[in-house]
């Protein structure tokens, strides 16, 4: 990876000893502001521009007035942000789970009634908690959780990019780039992607920093948030095994273990903890669900028969791509505009992956990125949802950020602001109103 000496200048000074508690807190706040202020300001500005364009397009079209609240409708344009999957998350937050595998008369590929247990528990649980604590309605609580989580994710993407590139400017730009990823509007909606990305980004940062206990706990949390956590779990477990094999020193809760320690259990317990803790969230939820449904494949049965999601070795993706290229919309769940955006995204992925691999990133990023892409391409689903499933792939922002770093600060910011406005269409309106997010 490249190094920028000016960018790696230490920005955080050690707090002076002594002083009042209020003074220490103020000093800590100032240090955090100096470190994260720029990336979060850039992310928030770019994201806000995209949201405003998205809402303006919704208001101009007016289709939200005729759509049902469950499927892209509502009394106001912003109600659309709580529809589609958001409806399910709000339902879980309000009523909890009622696990069941209920057959129904076949309707196309659907042979089973949809059930809320397909949506993992941590995000709706936080919605309920925030609603109880703040007095907000469930929709407002869901939006608050997503927006706060998106800023935590942007901070994690900044910290990770700065760590692996040695460039603060690249980290700031990576945070801004994440605001214009495909399906960027989902970051500020009642969807779990922002929360998942926050946990995943900081888990990867913890791995790269050898903070194994934090890495294990954060990865555990991703497994309670989305099923796609399986690729992050694989990456963290592989990184932990590599650390044990190399007998690397780790950063524990108390400080730096100063180097290789071939005999000390203390130096190795962090990777061991991360290896065993990482899968507990995902395995725990699926095990609980298996008992509730009396079928330990119940989640996968529900995905296949109620949502038409299954592993098909890429057959559906191939047929969808073929149909799009030939102008024949004869594949499963065609949404031409959204699908064309997805096709453009899919075509760009090999280039971005090669640029990322050229930088020789840490193993956890390689496994997470390649594994997630394999899951996307080799599974049957609505083709347009590629846009949303790619959105948590923040490692792809790293080579783009390094490329933007060559521009002047003003040029890079102007480009991101323009992309932010455009994302209101391709990352918002095209998926919420012209397709299914």
């Amino acid at each position: 990876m490249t190094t920028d000496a000016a960018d790696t200048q230490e920005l955080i000074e050690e707090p002076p000893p002594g002083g009042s508690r209020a003074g220490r807190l103020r000093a800590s706040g100032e240090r955090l502001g100096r470190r994260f202020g720029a990336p979060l300001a850039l992310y928030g500005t770019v994201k806000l521009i995209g949201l405003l364009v998205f809402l303006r397009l919704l208001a101009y079209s007016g289709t939200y007035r005729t759509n049902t609240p469950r499927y892209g409708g509502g009394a106001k344009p912003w109600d659309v942000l709580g529809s589609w999957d958001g409806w399910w998350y709000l339902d879980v937050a309000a009523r909890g789970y009622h696990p069941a595998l209920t057959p129904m008369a076949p309707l196309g590929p659907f042979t089973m009634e949809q059930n809320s247990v397909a949506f993992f528990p941590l995000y709706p649980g936080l919605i309920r908690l925030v609603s109880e604590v703040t007095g907000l309605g469930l929709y407002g609580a869901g939006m608050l959780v997503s927006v706060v989580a998106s800023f935590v994710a942007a901070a994690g993407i900044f910290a990770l990019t700065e760590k692996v590139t040695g460039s603060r400017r690249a980290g700031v730009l990576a945070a801004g780039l994440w605001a214009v990823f495909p399906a960027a509007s989902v970051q500020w909606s009642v969807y779990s992607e922002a929360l998942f990305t926050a946990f995943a980004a900081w888990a990867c940062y913890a791995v790269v920093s050898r903070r194994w206990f934090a890495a294990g706990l954060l990865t555990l949390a991703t497994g309670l948030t989305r099923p796609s956590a399986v690729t992050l779990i694989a990456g963290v477990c592989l990184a932990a095994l590599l650390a044990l094999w190399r007998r690397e020193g780790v950063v524990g809760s108390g400080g730096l273990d100063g180097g290789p320690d071939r005999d000390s259990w203390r130096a190795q317990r962090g990777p061991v903890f991360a290896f065993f803790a990482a899968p507990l969230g995902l395995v725990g939820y699926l095990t609980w669900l298996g008992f509730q449904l009396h079928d330990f494949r119940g989640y996968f049965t529900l995905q296949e028969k109620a949502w038409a999601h299954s592993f098909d070795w890429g057959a559906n993706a191939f047929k969808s791509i073929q149909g799009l290229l030939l102008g024949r919309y004869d594949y499963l769940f065609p949404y031409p505009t959204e699908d064309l955006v997805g096709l453009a995204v899919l075509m760009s992925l090999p280039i971005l992956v090669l640029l990322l691999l050229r930088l020789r990133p840490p193993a956890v990023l390689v496994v997470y990125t390649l594994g997630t892409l394999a899951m996307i391409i080799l599974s049957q689903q609505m083709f347009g949802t590629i846009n949303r499933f790619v959105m948590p792939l923040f490692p792809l922002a790293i080579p783009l950020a390094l490329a933007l770093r060559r521009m002047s600060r003003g040029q890079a910011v102007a480009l991101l602001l323009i992309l932010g406005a455009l994302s209101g269409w391709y990352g918002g309106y095209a998926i919420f109103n012209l397709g299914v997010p």
Side-chain angles (χ1 to χ4, degrees):
M1 294 258 177
T2 59
T3 302
D4 188 332
D7 289 338
T8 56
Q9 180 180 359
E10 184 62 52
L11 297 175
I12 303 178
E13 299 176 356
E14 290 296 322
S20 67
R21 182 177 182 182
R24 292 195 298 272
L25 289 174
R26 184 167 55 252
S28 297
E30 291 173 355
R31 290 194 302 275
L32 289 174
R34 288 196 300 270
R35 177 160 173 73
F36 294 106
L40 295 186
L42 180 61
Y43 169 77
T45 301
V46 174
K47 191 71 201 69
L48 181 61
I49 290 173
L51 177 66
L52 293 176
V53 171
F54 173 36
L55 293 178
R56 183 67 188 91
L57 290 171
L58 285 174
Y60 182 78
S61 72
T63 52
Y64 67 91
R65 299 188 187 95
T66 56
N67 294 337
T68 64
R70 184 170 176 176
Y71 301 115
K76 300 292 184 182
W78 50 83
D79 291 333
V80 174
L81 299 172
S83 63
W84 298 107
D85 284 6
W87 184 91
W88 284 103
Y89 284 119
L90 295 175
D91 182 70
V92 174
R95 300 180 179 86
Y97 290 123
H98 302 282
L101 295 174
T102 308
M104 70 176 192
L107 181 63
F110 307 112
T111 59
M112 187 170 288
E113 292 183 5
Q114 296 179 341
N115 189 280
S116 60
V117 292
F119 298 86
F120 278 43
L122 186 53
Y123 179 62
L126 287 175
I127 293 176
R128 182 61 178 265
L129 176 63
V130 171
S131 178
E132 295 287 345
V133 171
T134 64
L136 289 171
L138 291 176
Y139 170 80
M143 290 296 294
L144 180 59
V145 172
S146 290
V147 171
V148 171
S150 75
F151 279 96
V152 175
I157 293 167
F158 156 75
L160 176 67
T161 304
E162 181 188 47
K163 181 77 173 179
V164 300
T165 65
S167 170
R168 175 176 171 81
R169 177 178 289 185
V172 173
L173 292 171
L177 282 165
W178 189 61
V180 299
F181 262 38
S185 61
V186 172
Q187 297 168 15
W188 287 7
S189 67
V190 188
Y191 272 65
S192 62
E193 272 77 6
L195 182 65
F196 174 83
T197 307
F199 288 133
W202 282 107
C204 290
Y205 177 81
V207 170
V208 173
S209 303
R210 300 180 187 176
R211 291 175 168 84
W212 294 105
F213 291 98
L217 293 174
L218 288 166
T219 308
L220 184 156
T222 65
L224 292 171
T225 308
R226 294 193 59 79
S228 54
V230 66
T231 61
L232 178 65
I233 292 167
V236 171
C237 288
L238 175 62
L241 289 175
L242 290 173
L244 290 169
W245 180 60
R246 295 167 180 167
R247 300 185 181 274
E248 295 174 346
V250 298
V251 175
S253 58
L256 179 66
D257 185 332
D261 185 351
R262 296 181 179 275
D263 302 311
S264 172
W265 160 247
R266 182 179 179 183
Q268 304 303 315
R269 64 184 180 181
V272 171
F273 174 85
F275 181 85
F276 286 104
L280 288 181
L282 180 63
V283 172
Y285 179 67
L286 293 180
T287 301
W288 172 84
L289 185 56
F291 279 112
Q292 295 296 312
L293 296 174
H294 307 289
D295 179 359
F296 284 96
R297 292 195 72 260
Y299 173 81
F300 305 99
T301 301
L302 192 65
Q303 285 289 311
E304 179 179 356
K305 297 184 177 181
W307 268 274
H309 290 182
S310 61
F311 188 81
D312 69 349
W313 295 99
N316 181 69
F318 178 80
K319 185 175 182 180
S320 300
I321 294 168
Q322 178 181 263
L324 284 166
L325 291 175
L326 298 177
R328 301 172 184 169
Y329 303 106
D330 56 354
Y331 51 90
L332 189 66
F333 308 124
Y335 291 93
T337 303
E338 180 188 34
D339 294 348
L340 285 172
V341 175
L343 181 62
V345 170
L346 192 61
M347 288 179 169
S348 69
L349 289 176
I351 300 171
L352 293 176
V353 169
L354 287 175
L355 291 174
L356 176 66
L357 296 179
R358 179 174 175 268
L359 300 172
R360 297 183 179 180
V364 63
L365 300 184
V366 175
V367 173
Y368 173 61
T369 302
L370 296 182
T372 302
L373 291 178
M375 287 182 63
I376 293 170
I377 296 170
L378 301 179
S379 298
Q380 175 181 283
Q381 59 210 347
M382 295 181 181
F383 184 79
T385 54
I386 285 174
N387 302 304
R388 176 163 61 90
F389 294 155
V390 166
M391 194 264 290
L393 282 177
F394 51 85
L396 297 179
I398 295 175
L400 293 174
L402 288 172
L404 282 185
R405 191 185 61 165
R406 300 173 183 174
M407 304 172 68
S408 70
R409 181 177 301 176
Q411 290 172 334
V413 170
L415 177 60
L416 286 172
L417 294 178
I418 293 170
L419 289 174
L422 294 175
S423 73
W425 179 79
Y426 72 76
Y429 188 79
I431 65 170
F432 270 94
N433 205 65
L434 301 177
V436 177

